[in-house]
Amino acid sequence: MAEKPAWNVEEARTLIAAHAGEDGALLVVLAAVQERFGYLHKDAIGLAATALNLSRAEVHGVASFYHDLRDAPAGRHVLKLCGAEACQSMGADALAARAVQELAIGFGETTADRTVTLERVYCLGLCACAPSALLDGEPVGRLDGDGIAAWIAECRA
């Protein structure tokens, strides 16, 4: 993942204004801000609310509903492990336990060295290749404990 710029309120205002007139503006605005800065800074909620004439509660509700929208920067790498039924039936729980052990963090957390963020997702549509994951946005199927450990070691090297 490319390094994102530091939060800048003026740049965020400009970005929000550029998207405020689009259909479905709230999601478009939140996605654009996150794309630029890597997360939704706490001030982004108020800026979006003001620009779109919405309450902070409405914006916060949307921002907290969508799992891909985050309120803190992610690590350099993001590992999203599927926890849906097909993956569970093929060993996803053991795979998740191995990832948690290797990273020494829980789901929704980032390692102290900021190299890896671990997230749980439910169904990537790769059921025939279970257990599956997204590794920096790239789908990977038929994962096993040794494979996930090797990937984690590579990310942290």
Side-chain angles (χ1 to χ4, degrees), residues 43-111:
D43 294 342
I45 300 300
L47 293 173
T50 299
L52 300 173
N53 197 28
L54 298 170
S55 72
R56 290 176 58 90
E58 289 173 298
V59 177
H60 180 271
V62 171
S64 62
F65 177 79
Y66 290 96
H67 298 284
D68 282 337
L69 296 175
R70 65 181 82 247
D71 62 1
R76 283 194 323 267
H77 302 281
V78 177
L79 171 57
K80 296 182 180 193
L81 294 177
C82 183
E85 290 81 2
C87 286
Q88 283 181 11
S89 71
M90 297 300 290
D93 289 340
L95 186 67
R98 180 75 179 265
V100 165
Q101 176 188 8
E102 294 283 333
L103 293 167
I105 59 171
F107 284 98
E109 297 178 355
T110 300
T111 56

Side-chain angles (χ1 to χ4, degrees), residues 25-58:
L26 179 54
L27 279 177
V28 174
V29 161
L30 295 177
V33 170
Q34 180 165 296
E35 175 65 26
R36 178 69 181 140
F37 300 106
Y39 71 109
L40 297 175
H41 187 277
K42 61 182 173 65
D43 294 342
I45 300 300
L47 293 173
T50 299
L52 300 173
N53 197 28
L54 298 170
S55 72
R56 290 176 58 90
E58 289 173 298

